[in-house]
Amino acid sequence: MTVLDLIKNRRSIRPAQYDQTKPISDEVISTILEAANHAPTHRMTQPWRFKVVRGAAKTRLAEFFTEDFKTNNPLDQQSDLKIKKASENVEKSACVILIVMQLHADLLPEWEEVASTAIAVQNMWLTCSALGVGAYWSSPGIIKRLSGFAPIAENEKYLGVFYMGYSDIVLPEPARTPMETKVEWI
C-alpha cells in the first residue's frame, strides 16, 4: 500500500465497533507512538505528549468519565442510559491515549503547537490503519477537566482522547468533494 493509499483509506473507527476481546500489545502501541514522534515541529519543540491508559487505569478513567458526567450535568439530564454512555467509549476501547500539548509561549504561537500535535496524532492514526487497529480521536467537553484524572503541567493542555481497538468492520468510501473544487491555480 502506498502512503497515498493509506491516507485515502484511513477512517474513524469508533469504540462501539471494536473487538473488546482483543488487546493491543505494548509493541504495537509503542510503534504507534513512535510514528507520532516523527511529526514536523517548528523550533523542535516537539509539543506532543501522551498518556497511555489501559487495564485498571482504564477502569478508573471510565469511572472518572461517569462521575464527571454526574457532576457537570443537571439531574434531569441524568438518565441511566446517559450515565452509562458517558464512559462507554473508554470501556469498549482496548487502549485509550490522552493527547496532551505542551505550550512554548516564549518561542511559538499556540496554533503552531496545536498543528504539530495534530500532525503527530495523524501519524498515529495512519500507523493504526497500517497495523489494522481502529482509532478515533474525540475532543469531548471533559478534556477541560481531564487533569483531575491525570495531572498535567501548567504549560500543557489536553487536546483530546484517542480511542483504539481492533476491528474487522468494513467501512464505506468517504464522501469527498473533488479536489478541483478546493484549489485555485494562480
Side-chain angles (χ1 to χ4, degrees), residues 61 64-65 67-73 140-152 158:
L61 181 62
F64 181 83
F65 272 53
E67 290 309 311
D68 182 84
F69 178 83
K70 289 177 182 178
T71 300
N72 292 291
N73 289 283
I142 195 173
I143 64 173
K144 294 176 257 175
R145 297 177 296 277
L146 272 177
S147 59
F149 174 76
I152 54 178
Y158 276 105

Side-chain angles (χ1 to χ4, degrees), residues 51-102:
K51 296 182 183 293
V52 179
V53 184
R54 296 189 308 164
K58 192 172 72 105
T59 301
R60 289 192 311 275
L61 181 62
E63 291 167 356
F64 181 83
F65 272 53
T66 299
E67 290 309 311
D68 182 84
F69 178 83
K70 289 177 182 178
T71 300
N72 292 291
N73 289 283
L75 281 173
D76 64 339
Q77 293 179 15
Q78 294 188 29
S79 68
D80 289 341
L81 179 62
K82 287 182 179 181
I83 291 169
K84 182 181 182 313
K85 286 187 91 46
S87 63
E88 195 170 69
N89 283 345
V90 173
E91 292 168 347
K92 290 184 175 184
S93 298
C95 178
V96 178
I97 298 180
L98 306 178
I99 304 164
V100 179
M101 171 189 63
Q102 192 175 72

Side-chain angles (χ1 to χ4, degrees), residues 2 16 19 51 62 82 85 107 117 138 142 153 157 164 169:
T2 68
D19 176 349
K51 296 182 183 293
K82 287 182 179 181
K85 286 187 91 46
L107 296 174
T117 304
S138 178
I142 195 173
K157 184 178 198 176
M164 299 187 316
I169 189 165

